[in-house]
Amino acid sequence: MAQILSGKDVSEEIRQGLKTEIEELKTSYPGFCPGLAIVQVGDRDDSNVYIGQKVKNAGAIGVTASHIKLPRTSTQSEVLDAVERLNSDPAVHGMIVQLPLDSENEIDSHRVTNAVRPEKDVDGLHQINAGKLSRGDLDSCILPCTPKGCLELIRRSGVTIAGATAVVVGRSKIVGSPMADLLKWNHATVTVCHSKTQNLPDIVKTADIVVVGIGRPQMVKGDWIKQGAVVIDCGINSIPDATKKSGKRLVGDVDFDEVKQVASWVTPVPGGVGPMTVAMLLQNTVEQARKMAAKCVAGKWNLELNPLKLVTPVPSDLVIAQSQTPKNIEILADEISLLKEEVDYYGKKKAKVSLKVLDRLQNHKNGKYVVVTGITPTPLGEGKSTTTIGLAQALGAQSKKNVFACVRQPSQGPTFGIKGGAAGGGYSQVIPMEEFNLHLTGDIHAITAANNLLAAQIEARMFHESTQTDEALYKRLVPDVKGQRTFSKIQLARLKKLGIGKTDANSFTPEEVKSFVRLDIDPTTITWQRVLDTNDRFLRKITVGQGPLEKGHTRECQFDIAVASEIMAILALTTGLRDMRERLGRMVVASSTSGVPVTADDLGVSGALTVLMKDAVRPNLMQTLEGTPVFVHAGPFANIAHGNSSIIADKIGLKLVGGDGFVVTECGFGADIGMEKFFNIKCRYSNLIPNAVVLVATIRALKMHGGGPTVTAGVPLPKEYIEENLDLLEKGCSNLRKQIENANKFGVPVVVAVNSFATDTPAEVALVQKFARENGAFDAIKCSHFAHGGLGAAELAEAVSKATQQPSNFKFLYSVEKSIEEKIETIAKEIYGADGIEILPAAQEQIDRYKKQGFNDFPICMAKTHLSLSHDPTKKGEPKGFTVPIREVRASIGAGFIYPLLGTMTTMPGLPTRPCFYDIDLDPETEEIVGLS
């Protein structure tokens, strides 16, 4: 007499084990919960029963099960859309499509089940999972539930599968065929039988293990079974039975009463394979959830590094970049533990990364946060971008650390103008450098579109207000649609701002109508300009409104370069979509004739601006020459804005690298500008604590600060810069000393990176290192990353790693609650070394207006020359005895800072006599770009 293999008992044991496992998961990963989604089309009674059992069993062990029920009218496209939404939901770890699909429309069920991502296919029906099972890759696929449950029951019988003879009756895709594969790869000798098999009873009788799933009630009889065989019955059939209240009973494909007289073990129906199928579904879901949870804990990335083929002398940047083949960005994304649903690919070499990464990794420990800055820039260049990339390559390729470089996106203005690209240089670059420097994923174009939409609305609103009565404006702003006049969401916000509590558009008094429709913009106060991502000096002053239909609505204004837009500063400082929407709405573009600030929300355009920026808010993923990841995101001006890459990119990077990893981010211009703004503005809004500063200096630039001769483009360097001159160098080190001091004021350790050239002598390098260490630097390291890539910055990486292990004493330079004047003076005295400030009358009037409008408590973003610590670009080294004049003060309320102007700021560069584009071209045969630098 056979023993009963009770699937009910075994499945209960498995469920209890899963419940314990889930509790452990939730303890290890707070807030985490395995998620199962069940997609049903139609309303079949049997499907409803099966789904109800699955949902009930899932809830009992702690799995969140969601039932997505689509109507019978659903089309194939609608079903596929529902599946894709669940594919992209990180809270869903397992998904099944309940079959059969009960739809009025023709739906290819095979296509639908294959639309489920293989890693979420907990039914094991996807062709990739089926294919892996077929070829024996059991460890890398999800096993189908019923065969997996059958195998577990066979193992519970104690029979040795390896070497046994097994017969599978039935060859369905769901049970028979995968069951045969499972037995085969567990080393049984397997025969698959079906309706066309000859001498079926004789073949079955040879088996030590029999699995039946043929769909015929009680077909397999006792005399078919070998004495002592293990019999697994996967069938479930309804047959008439007058003794039952329902008039029918459930039986399997095996004649249970006969077979139990011969077999050693047999499964009952019901209570056999059925409960095991549900248990295996839950087990598959929990297994996939565990894998997902493991990705929420930082570990060592499985990063494949790209070796460098160093050439001497160092070729051009473009030649180096084009000689290295970047990894497919999909591979890089997987290597750094990004999920497929968190990445949108723009071709094969760059991608956008979803902000949802921050939700998934919210309990992740941040990595070390390192900012790269420099001494006061000179025409000789210091190499901040190159050092940023070289340091990241060294930390990743040499120190084997998880590391992200976060850099700004270059404007095509300087790319085609005089400066060229900004991907780094030599053997420390972002690649593909052509895509990095040209358009990338269109973020700057999105900013241009959003900025100019707002500019157009300003002019249009003034035009319509000047040509229409209050009532006419009201009728157009709140139109009657089919007898209904309703306010849009943004208009309701304006009503609230005005203190109007009504929402019935027909009940407004004339005074309320006027208050609502009249922004009454004073044209002389408009601060919002149009932008273009091209250097065009002839747009620095323009006149708009000269067309015959504008009815005399003309005024003088200007174009700025696109990256000077406040929207770019917002992109760099925002912490998420909701925050960006609020910041865009707060942007002040002008004042009314009564002095009230006019915002983008008042103009009704901020929601549309957010729509235009919805993709731009996600950082761009690229890679270095050595295959380490890079985020390229945002590129605000470093004078009128804060000149740093985005908070979002830094935050995602810090989570992805984990507690032992590093994020290396770069700020614009010298430490007195970009670094000061990084600390006082960017860190204030991000709440991120920096661990170290890397201060980049070159021997040549320090000599210029020491009084070296001027440099003329196209003319060979004077001998002072290519021959040893310790006196000149020592004098120039005063600038280095001041910038070290500036960093130390924020309580952050400073490592000086001496970006070396072949003309630097050992004595000169030693002088700078000794001077830096004696004047407050944690360390000073000679680097050759331009010529040697990460290897040339290996010592720098080691010094930075040690510096980040120091206790953090980070502090802001000032409190935002201080007056605008006090904050400006603090920066001028503490950072620039000035004796004081002189606020000119026009600037004081502007400050007083901002205070009156409630804008005092913002950080300060000083707009001054980058060529000197002072406001005078001719004063090199460490100027003394100067007073900083404040000639004008402006506000970027959406971005969140006040910016005083210390001199004339050009926000639209011009093209030089010989722009870079003279050398840029496309090879029509190879389609390769040439001439970029």
Side-chain angles (χ1 to χ4, degrees):
M1 182 70 70
Q3 296 185 69
I4 305 302
L5 268 173
S6 173
K8 183 177 180 182
D9 294 341
V10 175
S11 65
E12 176 60 25
E13 182 183 331
I14 290 171
R15 286 197 300 272
Q16 289 305 312
L18 291 174
K19 184 175 182 180
T20 302
E21 186 176 349
I22 291 169
E23 289 169 355
E24 291 171 354
L25 272 174
K26 292 180 176 180
T27 301
S28 301
Y29 311 106
F32 183 83
C33 184
L36 171 67
I38 304 170
V39 178
Q40 179 188 11
V41 179
D43 194 34
R44 283 175 59 118
D45 290 338
D46 54 351
S47 291
N48 290 333
V49 171
Y50 298 147
I51 292 170
Q53 291 173 348
K54 292 166 185 174
V55 171
K56 180 181 177 181
N57 278 274
I61 67 168
V63 171
T64 299
S66 54
H67 180 191
I68 295 84
K69 196 168 186 177
L70 304 175
R72 292 191 75 250
T73 55
S74 298
T75 63
Q76 179 168 285
S77 177
E78 289 169 337
V79 177
L80 291 172
D81 285 346
V83 169
E84 187 52 42
R85 283 194 298 273
L86 296 169
N87 279 335
S88 301
D89 187 347
V92 173
H93 308 107
M95 187 196 327
I96 65 171
V97 177
Q98 185 68 39
L99 300 176
L101 300 172
D102 178 28
S103 176
E104 297 172 359
N105 302 297
E106 186 175 337
I107 299 178
D108 183 346
S109 60
H110 184 65
R111 182 174 177 184
V112 172
T113 54
N114 275 314
V116 178
R117 283 193 182 159
E119 63 271 23
K120 294 191 177 188
D121 168 40
V122 288
D123 248 351
L125 300 181
H126 194 286
Q127 60 192 15
I128 288 178
N129 285 319
K132 287 183 176 182
L133 170 58
S134 177
R135 68 187 187 191
D137 297 334
L138 306 189
D139 293 336
S140 63
C141 70
I142 300 176
L143 300 178
C145 301
T146 299
K148 186 178 180 182
C150 291
L151 186 68
E152 181 63 27
L153 289 174
I154 294 169
R155 286 173 172 156
R156 295 292 179 115
S157 75
V159 67
T160 302
I161 301 175
T165 299
V167 170
V168 178
V169 183
R171 57 182 175 180
S172 72
K173 294 177 182 178
I174 295 176
V175 179
S177 293
M179 187 72 242
D181 287 331
L182 261 182
L183 288 166
K184 177 178 67 176
W185 294 113
N186 278 274
H187 312 298
T189 301
V190 184
T191 301
V192 179
C193 299
H194 44 78
S195 59
K196 305 297 184 184
T197 301
Q198 300 296 315
N199 304 316
L200 181 58
D202 294 339
I203 296 173
V204 173
K205 198 157 188 172
T206 65
D208 305 310
I209 301 168
V210 180
V211 181
V212 186
I214 198 70
R216 295 183 184 178
Q218 299 178 323
M219 184 184 80
V220 176
K221 303 300 182 180
D223 58 1
W224 293 26
I225 303 300
K226 178 181 178 180
Q227 189 73 38
V230 175
V231 180
I232 307 296
D233 188 353
C234 300
I236 183 162
N237 310 278
S238 179
I239 64 172
D241 188 339
T243 67
K244 300 293 183 182
K245 185 177 180 180
S246 63
K248 55 187 176 181
R249 65 185 172 94
L250 295 178
V251 297
D253 293 349
V254 170
D255 189 325
F256 182 79
D257 291 335
E258 287 190 16
V259 167
K260 73 179 180 180
Q261 304 296 330
V262 185
S264 61
W265 293 86
V266 64
T267 57
V269 176
V273 172
M276 291 299 295
T277 299
V278 177
M280 293 300 104
L281 173 69
L282 298 176
Q283 188 179 79
N284 283 345
T285 301
V286 174
E287 284 176 359
Q288 296 311 111
R290 179 176 284 282
K291 290 177 182 178
M292 179 69 70
K295 287 199 171 189
C296 295
V297 175
K300 189 71 186 71
W301 291 343
N302 183 27
L303 201 64
E304 182 181 346
L305 298 166
N306 293 333
L308 296 177
K309 298 173 184 142
L310 302 175
V311 176
T312 305
V314 178
S316 73
D317 290 351
L318 185 59
V319 167
I320 292 171
Q322 291 181 339
S323 68
Q324 185 75 296
T325 302
K327 287 181 284 191
N328 189 311
I329 203 69
E330 185 175 3
I331 293 173
L332 178 62
D334 183 65
E335 288 175 342
I336 61 176
S337 300
L338 285 167
L339 308 181
K340 289 181 180 178
E341 58 264 29
E342 295 169 342
V343 186
D344 287 327
Y345 303 106
Y346 283 62
K348 296 181 179 179
K349 308 304 177 188
K350 57 187 183 289
K352 282 279 187 188
V353 175
S354 170
L355 274 57
K356 291 181 180 177
V357 178
L358 290 171
D359 295 330
R360 174 170 65 89
L361 303 179
Q362 60 184 314
N363 296 313
H364 233 182
K365 188 177 180 182
N366 281 349
K368 303 295 185 183
Y369 196 28
V370 179
V371 60
V372 178
T373 185
I375 61 171
T376 301
T378 70
L380 292 165
E382 288 64 56
K384 289 197 311 297
S385 298
T386 306
T387 302
T388 300
I389 302 306
L391 174 57
Q393 290 180 171
L395 286 164
Q398 301 299 316
S399 301
K400 308 300 181 187
K401 299 285 189 181
N402 293 354
V403 60
F404 248 104
C406 292
V407 298
R408 289 176 294 165
Q409 180 182 348
S411 163
Q412 76 174 27
T415 297
F416 288 117
I418 194 169
K419 183 180 178 183
Y427 287 99
S428 295
Q429 293 189 57
V430 180
I431 54 173
M433 70 95 84
E434 308 97 301
E435 296 185 32
F436 176 91
N437 286 310
L438 301 173
H439 302 296
L440 198 58
T441 56
D443 292 351
I444 294 178
H445 300 312
I447 288 164
T448 302
N451 185 100
N452 293 342
L453 178 63
L454 177 52
Q457 170 63 346
I458 293 169
E459 308 289 357
R461 185 59 179 260
M462 289 193 295
F463 172 78
H464 292 306
E465 285 190 26
S466 67
T467 57
Q468 297 180 51
T469 65
D470 294 348
E471 188 58 36
L473 275 170
Y474 191 56
K475 285 181 178 179
R476 286 172 171 81
L477 287 171
V478 194
D480 188 315
V481 179
K482 297 180 180 180
Q484 284 285 113
R485 297 183 70 184
T486 57
F487 294 102
S488 68
K489 183 179 177 181
I490 201 167
Q491 288 176 325
L492 290 171
R494 174 159 170 77
L495 291 176
K496 184 177 179 181
K497 178 180 176 181
L498 293 171
I500 299 174
K502 298 178 181 179
T503 56
D504 180 0
N506 296 313
S507 65
F508 275 45
T509 66
E511 291 76 17
E512 288 169 337
V513 167
K514 181 176 183 178
S515 177
F516 175 72
V517 302
R518 295 284 170 190
L519 297 181
D520 200 18
I521 294 172
D522 179 352
T524 65
T525 67
I526 295 174
T527 55
W528 197 261
Q529 310 296 349
R530 291 163 175 82
V531 299
L532 187 71
D533 197 32
T534 301
N535 289 0
D536 191 345
R537 68 177 69 245
F538 292 97
L539 293 178
R540 289 173 180 170
K541 180 165 282 192
I542 61 169
T543 303
V544 296
Q546 292 189 339
L549 300 179
E550 275 59 71
K551 301 180 181 180
H553 179 78
T554 62
R555 70 179 186 91
E556 282 191 351
C557 54
Q558 69 184 60
F559 269 83
D560 293 335
I561 192 82
V563 291
S565 170
E566 183 179 351
I567 296 176
M568 174 62 91
I570 287 174
L571 177 65
L573 287 172
T574 192
T575 54
L577 264 175
R578 184 181 299 277
D579 177 66
M580 183 174 72
R581 169 65 182 82
E582 292 172 356
R583 286 175 178 270
L584 291 171
R586 290 198 302 265
M587 292 188 300
V588 174
V589 301
S591 295
S592 69
T593 53
S594 59
V596 176
V598 177
T599 67
D601 265 352
D602 292 327
L603 287 158
V605 73
S606 45
L609 303 185
T610 308
V611 170
L612 287 171
M613 293 292 294
K614 72 178 179 66
D615 292 327
V617 75
R618 295 179 293 158
N620 306 293
L621 178 64
M622 297 189 76
Q623 62 193 282
T624 67
L625 280 167
E626 298 191 51
T628 60
V630 179
F631 273 142
V632 184
H633 200 212
F637 257 34
N639 44 25
I640 65 166
H642 63 295
N644 282 259
S645 62
S646 77
I647 286 174
I648 283 174
D650 289 0
K651 283 194 165 188
I652 294 176
L654 285 164
K655 292 297 183 186
L656 285 170
V657 299
D660 293 329
F662 291 81
V663 164
V664 182
T665 190
E666 177 197 358
C667 52
F669 293 152
D672 55 307
I673 299 181
M675 184 195 71
E676 181 269 316
K677 295 174 181 179
F678 170 83
F679 288 139
N680 282 320
I681 300 176
K682 184 175 179 180
C683 290
R684 201 182 295 270
Y685 284 121
S686 70
N687 293 316
L688 296 174
I689 305 298
N691 299 102
V693 170
V694 174
L695 181 62
V696 183
T698 63
I699 303 293
R700 302 188 310 184
L702 289 171
K703 287 178 178 178
M704 180 170 280
H705 280 295
T710 56
V711 174
T712 305
V715 176
L717 287 176
K719 63 182 180 61
E720 286 85 351
Y721 299 118
I722 56 177
E723 296 177 2
E724 185 173 287
N725 191 324
L726 298 179
D727 290 340
L728 199 62
L729 177 61
E730 190 168 12
K731 290 177 184 176
C733 279
S734 61
N735 186 271
L736 176 62
R737 186 206 64 78
K738 178 56 179 166
Q739 300 290 31
I740 294 172
E741 176 191 289
N742 285 342
N744 283 331
K745 285 179 185 291
F746 295 91
V748 182
V750 185
V751 177
V752 172
V754 184
N755 186 14
S756 67
F757 288 77
T759 54
D760 300 341
T761 68
E764 289 175 327
V765 173
L767 187 154
V768 174
Q769 288 179 299
K770 183 174 182 290
F771 183 92
R773 290 165 183 154
E774 290 176 349
N775 284 274
F778 177 82
D779 206 345
I781 306 294
K782 176 186 174 182
C783 312
S784 61
H785 42 274
F786 181 86
H788 303 112
L791 181 63
E795 288 186 40
L796 176 63
E798 185 178 347
V800 168
S801 183
K802 290 178 181 177
T804 60
Q805 294 167 21
Q806 304 302 301
S808 178
N809 299 306
F810 176 67
K811 57 183 181 295
F812 297 118
L813 190 67
Y814 54 79
S815 165
V816 290
E817 285 77 22
K818 288 189 174 184
S819 70
I820 293 174
E821 296 92 334
E822 287 178 292
K823 289 179 285 194
I824 295 172
E825 185 174 36
T826 297
I827 296 171
K829 286 183 173 181
E830 295 292 326
I831 302 299
Y832 309 153
D835 292 339
I837 60 172
E838 179 190 6
I839 300 177
L840 302 181
Q844 188 62 61
E845 184 179 330
Q846 291 161 335
I847 290 172
D848 293 341
R849 182 169 71 247
Y850 294 141
K851 288 180 177 179
K852 183 179 178 182
Q853 292 174 339
F855 301 144
N856 180 83
D857 294 353
F858 282 95
I860 301 298
C861 186
M862 299 282 264
K864 79 170 186 75
T865 178
H866 59 289
L867 297 173
S868 173
L869 279 164
S870 74
H871 60 284
D872 183 348
T874 65
K875 295 184 183 296
K876 304 300 181 185
E878 185 184 9
K880 299 286 186 182
F882 63 94
T883 300
V884 174
I886 311 299
R887 68 174 187 84
E888 186 179 351
V889 178
R890 299 179 187 172
S892 290
I893 301 305
F897 53 73
I898 304 291
Y899 63 102
L901 278 70
L902 280 57
T904 301
M905 289 292 126
T906 300
T907 52
M908 171 55 84
L911 288 172
T913 305
R914 191 185 189 285
C916 293
F917 58 64
Y918 272 74
D919 302 310
I920 299 172
D921 207 339
L922 187 74
D923 186 320
E925 298 297 325
T926 65
E927 298 187 8
E928 282 192 343
I929 294 170
V930 297
L932 269 178
S933 61

